[in-house]
Amino acid sequence: MQRIHIIGGGLAGFTAAITAAESGALVTVHEAHHTLGGRARTAEGPYRTNEGPHALYRRGPHWTWLDRRNLLGPTTGVPSLEVTRLRFRHRSALRRTPPLALLRLSRRSAARAPADTDFRTWATARIGEEGARAAAHYTAVALFHHDPGSLSAAFVQERLHRAGALPPEARYPIGGWAQVIDRMTSRAWNLGVRIETASRIDVAALDTLARTGPVVVATSLDAARTLLGDPALTWASGRTALIDLALRTRRGDAFAVSDLDAPGWIERFTAQDRTLAPHGEQLLQGQFPIAPDESRTTGTARAEELLDLGFPGWRERTVWRRDALAAGRTGAVDHPGTTWRDRPAIDRGNGIYLAGDQVAAPGLLSEVSFNSGIEAALLALKSTENPTAPGTPIDLKRT
């Protein structure tokens, strides 16, 4: 039996590994780092941070897939009291409710939003320029892009509709995303998957692996482009200033603040999961998209403005802080005239398949990694049954 090789031990890689192993395939996961998880890692120590704000969406395909395999584990939503503490910066002031126009638009399905028109133009025609601007900025929580209004209307509206759903779709794994990865790792191990950490695959090693069976490259698109030597492996992504902050607890702090004057979001994650920080402290994580010509300090300055509004006295209460920049690591964005189908194809030919959050698969945020991981594994399995069989397009019902 041919062995299926998975390069990358993150969400996409383990989704592919489990899918293939459940069908009886021999599978090896090669992870370049000493730890597993990719961007789903959770930091060790007293502050259990993810790499940027993370959430699962209950209506997403991987929610059901994980739940059926008992891999989801305990999750939590936002407590009802905390929902009332969601705040919005609008017209430079902190407000309890967003503009009515934003709420109206968020109720619209994305089915009628055009892919070939930018969101700003489409939304302005329906709710006016100011409402369209606020709606575009609100979607930054699920886009990580500095100008959501310039993107495809269909793409942005799908994210607005889901991010603004009531009751909220977002759920949070207790203890951070590493808990989900740990359960997926155990599942893969019990299925007989061989897991090799500190196993960095270069071009020569890839050629050797490909001689023994199909290979799923479940890395970032930048890493895949270098490994496969394929300059066509490009797609637009975001560039985002990240901030992690531990504050001494104070009653009355906002649960989250959404910036409607510019793209940005900051959330108190200990509101839903007290295990993420020591007793008496609260953990905040935020993301502030910045343009290609802007520095990280621009995003940091905007973060601090939002903190001033939603978390009074935060400077004196800070016990730990970390700032970072995520460039091209926050998923695909679709410009007008494109959809997920136009992104780099999963089937690269010659037994090589691609998985990750910037490839041709549908979904919101990590759902793209999940869907592409399943499809890559199914195509790899098919190639072991019939090595000359061509790739098949992704089946949304099957995923």
Side-chain angles (χ1 to χ4, degrees), residues 109-128:
S109 167
R112 295 185 179 180
D116 58 356
T117 301
D118 67 86
F119 179 80
R120 184 180 297 110
T121 298
W122 177 79
T124 296
R126 282 148 185 82
I127 60 173

Side-chain angles (χ1 to χ4, degrees), residues 137-207:
H137 292 161
Y138 180 75
T139 61
V141 66
L143 284 176
F144 295 82
H145 190 269
H146 71 284
D147 187 11
S150 69
L151 304 176
S152 157
F155 175 79
V156 176
Q157 181 61 22
E158 180 186 8
R159 280 134 188 85
L160 174 63
H161 183 66
R162 294 186 65 188
L166 291 175
E169 281 193 50
R171 301 285 292 186
Y172 306 83
I174 297 293
W177 272 62
Q179 304 300 315
V180 176
I181 290 294
D182 286 348
R183 285 186 283 272
M184 295 180 77
T185 302
S186 296
R187 170 71 171 170
W189 183 269
N190 291 333
L191 288 168
V193 174
R194 182 188 301 166
I195 301 171
E196 299 181 1
T197 57
S199 176
R200 187 172 297 277
I201 303 301
D202 58 17
V203 175
L206 175 65
D207 183 61

Side-chain angles (χ1 to χ4, degrees), residues 316-342:
E316 294 75 22
R317 294 190 284 140
T318 298
V319 294
W320 174 82
R321 175 173 176 167
R322 181 178 63 187
D323 294 39
L325 178 67
R329 305 201 313 271
T330 53
V333 295
D334 295 337
H335 287 284
T338 65
T339 71
W340 62 264
R341 294 176 176 83
D342 301 303

